[in-house]
Amino acid sequence: MAAGAASLAQHVLARLRETDPAALGEARSRQWRRLGDPPSNGVHGALDVATAGDGLRAPCVAVLLLGEAATPNSAPGAGAAVQRLTATVGVLVCTVRRNDPGGRKGFARGAGYDDMNDLISAVRSRLLGWPPRQRWDPLELRQGRLQSLADGRAWWQDEYATTGWADYRPAR
């Protein structure tokens, strides 16, 4: 994995952790404040989620690098690798409704459905069109989908993509 794309997830994580709820609008702000206090603000990296298991407090947001694709080296024989990388970053949004085992309340107006939509909207408002690093294009939403409905939790994943340049020299 290229270091450029790997650190990209860290930039996205930092951007979400720096979110000022007041800038999100009333409904989104209310849901964002429920995530928690700094430094993490309820925004986690992939390993945080993997190691927390059922102990993860919801609502929460998690960021992970999903993959990358590279063009062929544009400077072969120059002692470096100069490549264009397209990286895909996933952002998971989790909400919880422990007293709704059948899921009926979760889709009622003013219940979990709104919570999920408000958090998704808040994340999108922070990330769409934002260039995560120098020499990288602004993030674009590729797709979003429901990942899981289990144990009173709903997990939604948005996939964001960006393309940038990686210039690597061999270690000496």
Side-chain angles (χ1 to χ4, degrees):
M1 179 174 5
S7 64
L8 187 65
Q10 294 301 317
H11 287 282
V12 171
L13 186 66
R15 171 111 173 137
L16 291 174
R17 283 181 174 168
E18 295 166 357
T19 298
D20 176 8
L24 297 174
E26 185 179 335
R28 291 185 212 155
S29 174
R30 185 175 52 253
Q31 291 309 318
W32 197 264
R33 283 188 176 97
R34 288 184 59 215
L35 290 176
D37 298 319
S40 75
N41 289 356
V43 180
H44 308 284
L47 290 178
D48 298 330
V49 174
T51 57
D54 291 339
L56 190 65
R57 194 179 132 260
C60 65
V61 174
V63 177
L64 57 152
L65 180 65
L66 296 176
E68 60 188 14
T71 61
N73 186 2
S74 61
V82 179
Q83 296 178 283
R84 191 98 164 119
L85 294 176
T86 298
T88 304
V89 175
V91 178
L92 289 163
V93 173
C94 176
T95 57
V96 65
R97 281 281 178 239
R98 299 225 184 269
N99 62 350
D100 187 17
R104 288 182 297 275
K105 295 178 193 172
F107 288 99
R109 189 87 185 133
Y113 186 70
D114 289 339
D115 297 350
M116 176 72 77
N117 284 335
D118 290 342
L119 282 176
I120 293 167
S121 294
V123 168
R124 288 178 178 176
S125 72
R126 289 292 291 162
L127 297 181
L128 287 173
W130 170 67
R133 298 181 58 191
Q134 278 188 327
R135 298 176 56 180
W136 286 81
D137 296 337
L139 289 174
E140 297 177 355
L141 179 65
R142 289 289 167 95
Q143 65 180 351
R145 72 182 104 174
L146 185 65
Q147 292 295 310
S148 173
L149 284 172
D151 301 323
R153 292 177 188 235
W155 289 90
W156 178 270
Q157 178 177 292
D158 274 345
E159 294 180 13
Y160 297 87
T162 182
T163 303
W165 286 97
D167 182 356
Y168 299 102
R169 310 237 176 247
R172 297 188 187 248

